[in-house]
Amino acid sequence: MALLDSAPLDVLDAYRTCEFVTLGRDGTPLAWPTAVRRRPDGTLLLSTSLAFAQKALNIRRDGRVALLFSDPTGSGLEKAPQIFVGGHADCPDEIMTGPQGAEDYWRMLFERQPHSRSYVTAPMRLVMDWYYLRLLITVTPDQVVVRPPLPAPDAPAPAPAAAAGDLVGAAQLARFPTAVLAARDASGAPVLARTRPVPTGEGFAVDVPADCPAAPGPAALLVHRHDERLNHMHNALVRGELRESGSGLLLVPTKVVEPMGSGRVSDAVSVLRTTKRATDRYLHRRGLSRPQVEWREFRALAQEARRRDGA
């Protein structure tokens, strides 16, 4: 029996995304939303494009990772339990140019994210080839915790405007009812918990469940969203330091990272330029020429998903 079998697997499989955290070079837990496919052997399959290879580089330096399934948007589930998975990841430096070995993963993406099927069409290939140059990440769980949904909030006292407005990341966090805290436990392993940050004069007060042993040190708050069909995505990471305060834990923010921009129309062009440069940089450092994407194989899976939709 695999460790993952202790979780409600139908719930885990229904989640469209999860929060995935790796440890940066300076030890900061860096969390981002991602799609996951459960494998029959009890491991979890993720992937990252060369344009966003930092997750892979972090894993090759320190394989400790964690995942939290906590945003059920698009899953069809009501009051879905949250599922935390801690474990170790492996990410070989092998660039995948086709879906071979991860066909079920790509089928899942094309089915759940219909707009991505257009990426394999001739007009889009010139600007989207970076998306299909992938590194595969395999996570072997060593801890599974099932948590209830985050309870509805009590009516809070309004925070002083100055307390929120003067904080780094206040504008980003204010757009979301909850956020995911990415921190480390006493051993340095990453942990995750969905919480409701409350702005104070010095930072964001956070409350975590008893089964999340978050310790003072580098930490971050992740906010993200997507619609029922994995479109209109946005995410932001507020990095900082987690400190003990008189009433609990406080995230003192220092920096905001928004890899896909803040939602402006001009951000799309900027993202395409950034992803191309990042992909070229990854290849250049390894002395590799840009490989050709196996468009025929991806197109076949996209067409298969389209046929199922029409059935």
Side-chain angles (χ1 to χ4, degrees):
M1 175 176 172
L3 179 62
L4 204 58
D5 291 338
S6 62
L9 298 181
D10 57 336
V11 173
L12 187 149
D13 291 343
Y15 271 96
R16 270 34 185 172
T17 60
C18 76
E19 296 84 32
F20 177 60
V21 61
T22 62
L23 295 173
R25 186 181 298 276
D26 63 354
T28 300
L30 302 174
W32 299 108
T34 189
V36 178
R37 181 72 176 179
R38 179 174 59 89
R39 284 173 159 170
D41 65 358
T43 61
L44 296 169
L45 177 65
L46 304 81
S47 75
T48 186
S49 70
L50 301 190
F52 298 101
Q54 192 58 54
K55 292 188 287 290
L57 302 179
N58 291 345
I59 288 168
R60 292 168 191 165
R61 186 172 50 251
D62 189 330
R64 294 177 295 178
V65 300
L67 307 91
L68 181 64
F69 297 81
S70 67
D71 178 0
T73 302
S75 68
L77 301 173
E78 293 185 9
K79 298 182 179 179
Q82 303 176 66
I83 303 173
F84 171 83
V85 180
H88 287 75
D90 178 64
C91 184
D93 196 2
E94 178 183 359
I95 300 170
M96 307 301 295
T97 59
Q100 294 85 352
E103 289 90 347
D104 285 346
Y105 178 88
W106 284 104
R107 286 191 185 97
M108 176 188 73
L109 286 184
F110 285 131
E111 288 174 7
R112 295 180 172 182
Q113 191 180 49
H115 76 271
S116 69
R117 301 170 197 168
S118 66
Y119 297 169
V120 302
T121 60
M124 295 292 290
R125 293 179 190 175
L126 292 177
V127 294
M128 292 303 298
D129 66 331
W130 61 270
Y131 183 81
Y132 293 98
L133 299 177
R134 293 265 175 161
L135 302 167
L136 299 184
I137 299 170
T138 300
V139 176
T140 301
D142 55 34
Q143 180 188 16
V144 176
V145 178
V146 180
R147 298 172 184 155
L150 200 65
D154 297 327
D166 293 342
L167 290 173
V168 173
Q172 286 78 9
L173 295 182
R175 301 183 189 122
F176 295 81
T178 63
V180 172
L181 174 69
R184 301 185 304 182
D185 64 18
S187 74
V191 295
L192 293 164
R194 187 164 284 275
T195 184
R196 290 187 174 88
V198 177
T200 71
E202 297 180 353
F204 299 98
V206 293
D207 185 29
V208 298
D211 58 37
C212 178
L221 285 166
L222 169 68
V223 288
H224 69 97
R225 64 170 172 261
H226 59 78
D227 66 16
E228 300 286 321
R229 294 163 76 84
L230 290 181
N231 201 2
H232 302 108
M233 293 184 170
H234 178 73
N235 54 73
L237 190 70
V238 180
R239 296 179 57 172
E241 181 182 357
L242 193 64
R243 300 176 184 173
E244 292 181 342
S245 68
S247 57
L249 294 172
L250 188 73
L251 188 286
V252 180
T254 57
K255 180 181 180 181
V256 176
V257 183
E258 292 182 284
M260 304 305 288
S262 59
R264 297 171 300 182
V265 175
S266 59
D267 288 338
V269 175
S270 176
V271 167
L272 289 176
R273 290 174 178 167
T274 300
T275 52
K276 181 181 185 306
R277 287 196 296 265
T279 301
D280 290 343
R281 185 163 56 248
Y282 187 94
L283 295 169
H284 176 74
R285 288 176 176 173
R286 287 156 180 77
L288 301 173
S289 57
R290 198 179 188 92
Q292 292 295 312
V293 174
E294 298 173 38
W295 292 113
R296 179 179 298 178
E297 287 75 9
F298 282 119
R299 188 171 64 250
L301 292 180
Q303 290 172 342
E304 181 183 325
R306 188 175 291 108
R307 287 194 297 271
R308 277 197 291 270
D309 273 355

